[in-house]
Amino acid sequence: MVKAFLRSLQKEDILNILGGKRGRITIHEVAAAAAVSISTASKALNDTGRMGSETRERVKRIAAEIGYRPNALARGLLSKRSFTIGLLTNDTYGRFTLPVMAGISDALVDHGVSVFLCAIEDDPALAQIHVDAMLDKQVDGIIATGKRLDRRLPVDLSNLHVPVVYAFTEGTQNSVTFRSDDEQGARLAVEWLVRIGRRRIAHITGPEEFFSVRERAGAYHEVAGHREPVLYGVWSESWGHDAVEQLWKRSGEKPDALFCGNDQIARGAVDALRERGVKVPHDVSVIGFDNWEIVAAQTRPPLTTVDMELKELGRQAGLTVLALAEGRPVEPGVRKLPCRLIVRQSCGGKAPRDENKRMSKGARRCAISGGVS
């Protein structure tokens, strides 16, 4: 049928349709090729109206064969949507935002929705400029993300006329917020160290004023007790190196495991242990947090670490803001997504495959119970 349709056209029309003049194929050509009315073609392509499933599928197939692409502007005017989502972040380094954005894009690409990224640093004036630009572009919604869980972005997003979802940053009251379950992730790490026979587990972490640091330290104490100290410091390799020096200068027994607050600290700790002739993981097991591939994979030995599942977090945030944009009901509140333990050579033992499978199922349960309704 498509070949017959093309044969019936003038040469100029054929060139336009096949891209010879790069002309946009319209719904009129689709209707003519499928031998249906323009109204029927429109309803088939938009999954509206009453018609046989065979006709609907035939119109869609022919539209794809002749290269029809719906006009985004017309689509937006009809649906009163722009099919764009704004992503606002103060994580200009991208350490946390990039995996979150990858998850958002994965969730929205099949729905024909694009992501409009704006980096605001920590500048309230710049943040407001970007929010106004998003609203001028008539985004369907905004996802706010950042570089820590317990800080809000430097701009008020509470009274906008578009839905706002928060991911890996503190949300406003009665908002929808997605965050990793740091307590559960820390428990996974320390329980694994106990399972492989470690008993003197020290915890080297970041600044105590961070909410995530306190959550992880609390879980560490619950599993390992208070035999070894928590060493609070900064998020750097040099702090991991210095913390090991402090621990090994003490009298008495030395730790046989280190649970570190992030992968940079863990890498510094591994380097310090090597300099002292302490073998990892034979003498001391080391676990980090974040699963920052560029750090974890290049540590020697490669680093066992906790993955915060930021891509899944972004995916859930994307699906939720899409649901809100479409007018579907979503319960406000904080959704905690479970972390996952990635076992490499720095702690010894075999990967807890069953545990990771359970956590993957847990993530799916969280997505079902904590997502859109």
Side-chain angles (χ1 to χ4, degrees):
M1 180 176 290
V2 174
K3 290 181 179 179
F5 165 68
L6 292 174
R7 283 197 299 270
S8 70
L9 298 174
Q10 298 295 321
K11 181 178 180 181
E12 181 177 315
D13 295 326
I14 294 174
L15 285 173
N16 281 335
I17 289 177
L18 295 182
K21 290 188 177 180
R22 300 192 181 279
R24 174 180 286 275
I25 297 172
T26 69
I27 198 167
H28 297 79
E29 280 82 25
V30 175
V36 297
S37 68
I38 294 172
S39 174
T40 298
S42 176
K43 291 174 183 177
L45 294 172
N46 289 289
D47 288 319
T48 60
R50 292 184 178 181
M51 70 184 68
S53 59
E54 183 179 335
T55 300
R56 192 182 301 276
E57 292 306 314
R58 180 168 57 84
V59 172
K60 289 182 177 181
R61 175 177 52 79
I62 290 172
E65 287 176 358
I66 66 175
Y68 171 74
R69 292 172 61 87
N71 185 300
L73 178 59
R75 182 186 178 205
L77 290 172
L78 288 171
S79 63
K80 297 182 180 181
R81 289 179 54 196
S82 66
F83 294 92
T84 58
I85 296 294
L87 177 60
L88 200 66
T89 182
N90 65 346
D91 175 27
T92 53
Y93 190 71
R95 166 66 192 93
F96 304 106
T97 295
L98 291 178
V100 169
M101 184 175 180
I104 294 170
S105 297
D106 280 356
L108 299 181
V109 65
D110 290 339
H111 298 274
V113 178
S114 301
V115 181
F116 175 35
L117 173 65
C118 288
I120 63 172
E121 299 180 351
D122 286 308
D123 185 338
L126 179 61
Q128 190 61 57
I129 289 171
H130 282 309
V131 170
D132 291 342
M134 288 180 175
L135 297 178
D136 288 344
K137 291 181 180 295
Q138 299 183 326
V139 294
D140 294 329
I142 293 175
I143 297 175
T145 187
K147 51 192 175 185
R148 56 188 288 186
L149 296 172
D150 54 352
R151 289 288 185 274
R152 292 186 182 179
L153 298 187
V155 63
D156 185 8
L157 303 174
S158 59
N159 295 308
L160 302 184
H161 65 271
V162 298
V164 178
V165 171
Y166 297 84
F168 204 78
T169 193
E170 185 180 2
T172 58
Q173 189 175 12
N174 297 321
S175 63
V176 180
T177 302
F178 289 89
R179 52 157 297 193
S180 53
D181 191 339
D182 285 77
E183 181 181 358
Q184 174 263 346
R187 187 174 290 108
L188 269 182
V190 183
E191 285 178 348
W192 177 244
L193 290 170
V194 171
R195 188 181 305 176
I196 63 175
R198 302 304 186 180
R199 295 296 178 264
R200 300 183 304 280
I201 305 168
H203 184 28
I204 308 172
T205 188
E208 191 172 5
E209 64 265 23
F210 277 61
F211 176 73
S212 58
V213 167
R214 297 194 299 274
E215 273 205 331
R216 296 172 195 176
Y220 157 76
H221 280 310
E222 286 180 13
V223 179
H226 294 264
R227 178 174 179 176
E228 294 291 336
V230 174
L231 279 70
Y232 298 100
V234 295
W235 304 113
S236 70
E237 289 187 32
S238 60
W239 163 234
H241 192 283
D242 293 345
V244 167
E245 185 176 354
Q246 290 182 28
L247 289 169
W248 259 254
K249 280 184 176 179
R250 300 181 319 176
S251 59
E253 289 186 305
K254 303 299 184 285
D256 60 6
L258 301 177
F259 167 46
C260 300
N262 75 355
D263 293 343
Q264 290 168 285
I265 292 173
R267 182 169 177 170
V270 170
D271 289 345
L273 291 170
R274 183 187 304 110
E275 291 170 9
R276 291 178 172 274
V278 180
K279 296 180 181 178
V280 177
H282 183 270
D283 300 321
V284 177
S285 295
V286 180
I287 293 183
F289 210 104
D290 290 348
N291 193 31
W292 191 2
E293 291 281 353
I294 196 171
V295 175
Q298 293 181 9
T299 302
R300 291 294 176 264
L303 187 63
T304 295
T305 183
V306 176
D307 192 315
M308 291 187 290
E309 299 282 31
L310 294 179
K311 187 173 181 179
E312 175 62 20
L313 188 149
R315 195 180 76 84
Q316 290 298 320
L319 291 174
T320 301
V321 79
L322 180 64
L324 289 168
E326 293 174 347
R328 288 183 275 156
V330 178
E331 284 293 323
V334 177
R335 274 83 158 160
K336 291 184 182 180
L337 270 66
C339 300
R340 185 166 53 103
L341 185 65
I342 307 297
V343 175
R344 299 188 180 95
Q345 288 92 331
S346 71
C347 69
K350 295 182 179 179
R353 293 190 180 92
D354 292 339
E355 182 75 14
N356 282 340
K357 286 179 181 177
R358 284 197 294 273
M359 293 318 305
S360 296
K361 291 178 181 177
R364 288 194 291 272
R365 284 196 299 271
C366 179
I368 294 170
S369 62
V372 298
S373 58

